[in-house]
Amino acid sequence: MGASPCDAFIERPGAPTLRHDRRMTSAGAAASSSLLSPSPAAPAAKPLLIVKTGSTFEALRAQQGDFDDWIARGLGPHALPVLVVDPRTGAPLPEPSELRGIVITGSHEMVSHRAEWSERTAAWLARCVESGVPVLGICYGHQLLAHALGGEVDFHPGGLEIGTVPLELAPAARDDPLFAGLPQRFAVNVIHRQSALRLPPGAVPLATNAHEPHHAFRVGHCAWGVQFHPEFDANAMRGYVQAHAAQLDDAAAIEDRVRSTPEAASLLQRFGQLTAHRNGQQTTWMTPGGR
């Protein structure tokens, strides 16, 4: 394949030695998570940025941390160091050139409400994609990415999708740098009322199911949106089903079907690996298996 801004799944000699360190917030204060960062002897690595667009329910947060914690754990040591910025607080977002990758979290907010912080983040996100920084948008982040690049986001005409549901990959996923090698069908955890009703111009559909035609897409070489939640474990998914039980026809049956979704979860680690080997603005990438 030709050159692109993504440099993924390539082992390089002389990679920086890693040591345990702490995740840094946007203000520079150390968070409690124990993660990895380059050793002092190595050149300073660009961080992978988690854009925190929302928080989970207090009960879940008390049990297992917040959305950014779940994502950071899923990304694995390849992704470190990790920086977290919450644009809802007015915190500035870094210049694209300062980052080696970006993950945008889910949120209980709605993209179509066009909150000031969300619109500001969307404009910044479009610059990041144009600059070739690898991006992974999750749920709200998936929709925000679509909106930022010219797609249409609004309430899904079929209403709420929630629980553990089947997903089917589109043909383009077979050679996609992030999705290649995954099974044709696998389970994912979902909770959403809004969707990317129309994808951005040039977007490549990557996954679908009976409810949601745009469960995953890619724009360019290395900007992905996933409507499902690769960061949700079964406990988190059950928590969301229980929180919405009054709105569901058969919450008990939906909760009984909840399970872990390892194939979906693997996308976070894949993205962490992809960003770990990004070096400069124009580099080559390979899909898993060398395709």
Side-chain angles (χ1 to χ4, degrees):
M1 292 185 181
S4 90
C6 283
D7 184 13
F9 303 103
I10 303 172
E11 294 296 330
R12 298 188 182 280
T17 303
L18 299 178
R19 64 176 176 83
H20 280 283
D21 203 345
R22 294 173 294 175
R23 179 164 49 90
M24 302 302 292
T25 66
S26 59
S32 59
S33 302
S34 178
L35 300 178
L36 299 172
S37 65
S39 70
K46 293 180 179 180
L48 188 152
L49 176 67
I50 297 176
V51 180
K52 184 174 182 178
T53 65
S55 291
T56 189
F57 299 117
E58 180 57 41
L60 274 174
R61 188 160 61 247
Q63 290 176 15
Q64 57 192 78
D66 213 340
F67 292 148
D68 52 311
D69 300 303
W70 307 352
I71 289 168
R73 287 195 291 266
L75 288 166
H78 295 284
L80 305 171
V82 168
L83 175 72
V84 177
V85 173
D86 187 340
R88 298 171 300 166
T89 67
L93 291 158
E95 285 298 312
S97 61
E98 299 173 359
L99 304 169
R100 76 167 186 279
I102 300 161
V103 180
I104 309 104
T105 73
S107 178
H108 295 174
E109 304 293 331
M110 300 294 172
V111 170
S112 68
H113 290 173
R114 306 288 181 90
E116 184 279 331
W117 67 265
S118 184
E119 292 294 279
R120 174 167 42 87
T121 303
W124 168 86
L125 190 55
R127 287 203 298 123
C128 292
V129 173
E130 184 178 3
S131 298
V133 180
V135 172
L136 176 63
I138 298 172
C139 195
Y140 188 94
H142 160 92
Q143 297 164 18
L144 190 65
L145 179 65
H147 168 60
L149 300 178
E152 179 187 357
V153 175
D154 212 328
F155 287 92
H156 193 292
L160 176 69
E161 184 182 33
I162 186 169
T164 303
V165 301
L167 185 83
E168 181 162 359
L169 295 184
R174 288 195 297 268
D175 295 316
D176 181 78
L178 192 61
F179 281 81
L182 288 174
Q184 180 67 25
R185 297 175 182 84
F186 55 91
V188 297
N189 286 321
V190 301
I191 166 70
H192 68 108
R193 297 182 188 276
Q194 295 206 329
S195 295
L197 301 181
R198 178 172 50 82
L199 294 180
V204 178
L206 296 173
T208 186
N209 70 7
H211 180 92
E212 174 54 63
H214 302 143
H215 250 303
F217 70 90
R218 187 187 72 245
V219 173
H221 291 288
C222 53
W224 290 270
V226 294
Q227 181 59 69
F228 56 91
H229 284 274
E231 81 281 20
F232 272 30
D233 62 13
N235 185 64
M237 190 69 259
R238 289 190 193 97
Y240 273 82
V241 173
Q242 292 163 7
H244 290 80
Q247 307 166 42
L248 304 174
D249 291 336
D250 195 344
I254 295 172
E255 187 173 349
D256 285 345
R257 289 193 291 270
V258 168
R259 63 185 188 273
S260 61
T261 56
E263 293 85 4
S266 74
L267 289 169
L268 285 173
Q269 189 168 37
R270 285 165 170 248
F271 188 75
Q273 293 170 339
L274 185 153
T275 64
H277 300 295
R278 183 173 181 264
N279 181 21
Q281 291 300 306
Q282 293 295 326
T283 50
T284 58
W285 52 261
M286 295 171 61
T287 57
R291 286 195 293 271

